Amino acid sequence: MQILVHCIQKNSDDFKEINEYIKMSSKWADIKDINKFNSQIAKAQSLSKQNAHVAYDNVYMPCANGFCIGLDEKGDELDSPQFADLLKDNQKISFFIGGAYGLSSEFKSKMNRLVSLSRLTLAHKIAKLMLFEQIFRGLCINANHPYHK
């Protein structure tokens, strides 16, 4: 199984805990943390939300393959067993975390699922840490590993 986490984040220096979750998950899945921030996105974000969404879509659309899950504050709120179910029966899963302006409506319409980690707006580092922890927890649930208990 391959799990790709795509993010638009200006500073890609993540918590070391994210790498720990990737390492702990490696017995069940190949997980990649992919930052898509670039100069076009930086420029577009300074102009308008619409320009930012176009820039986000330009880098995200080619990556929208496999079972695609967009993170969105208005997405489905799931408990950990329901999140674990998302990871079952999919050989390739792509998660997408929006930039400063979230994900565009057009991009969200291409997703297989929209999921909310919280109704709160979260900093990228916090959202990513929560996502990687839930991925690890979900993989543990699916493997009947005691971490979830």
Side-chain angles (χ1 to χ4, degrees):
M1 168 188 288
Q2 183 178 48
I3 300 174
L4 307 174
V5 177
H6 302 273
C7 183
I8 295 172
Q9 178 183 352
K10 188 173 185 177
N11 183 353
S12 64
D13 295 333
D14 291 318
F15 295 133
K16 65 179 180 176
E17 288 83 1
I18 288 175
N19 290 328
E20 288 298 315
Y21 283 117
I22 291 171
K23 183 179 175 182
M24 292 186 301
S25 301
S26 66
K27 62 179 112 182
W28 300 298
D30 175 28
I31 301 177
K32 303 279 189 247
D33 179 15
I34 304 165
N35 185 18
K36 295 290 190 177
F37 193 83
N38 61 34
S39 60
Q40 288 81 19
I41 290 171
K43 182 178 179 181
Q45 285 184 152
S46 70
L47 297 173
S48 71
K49 180 178 181 176
Q50 182 180 1
N51 287 346
H53 278 163
V54 168
Y56 303 162
D57 289 355
N58 286 341
V59 297
Y60 272 173
M61 287 293 188
C63 305
N65 49 55
F67 188 79
C68 295
I69 302 169
L71 297 187
D72 185 79
E73 63 188 11
K74 295 177 183 165
D76 299 327
E77 289 185 332
L78 307 174
D79 62 20
S80 293
Q82 290 170 322
F83 188 90
D85 284 343
L86 291 177
L87 305 181
K88 287 182 179 175
D89 304 322
N90 292 299
Q91 288 304 305
K92 183 175 185 179
I93 301 169
S94 296
F95 286 93
F96 296 91
I97 301 173
Y101 292 103
L103 300 171
S104 73
S105 296
E106 180 182 348
F107 189 74
K108 287 190 278 189
S109 73
K110 308 266 187 243
M111 299 292 97
N112 297 100
R113 275 306 276 279
L114 291 175
V115 172
S116 174
L117 296 176
S118 170
R119 293 290 184 229
L120 300 170
T121 300
L122 302 171
H124 279 87
K125 287 183 178 187
I126 302 299
K128 282 176 72 172
L129 182 60
M130 289 176 64
L131 177 59
F132 278 92
E133 194 281 335
Q134 283 302 302
I135 290 169
F136 177 65
R137 184 176 297 273
L139 292 169
C140 287
I141 289 169
N142 291 342
N144 294 313
H145 185 278
Y147 174 79
H148 178 62
K149 305 292 184 238

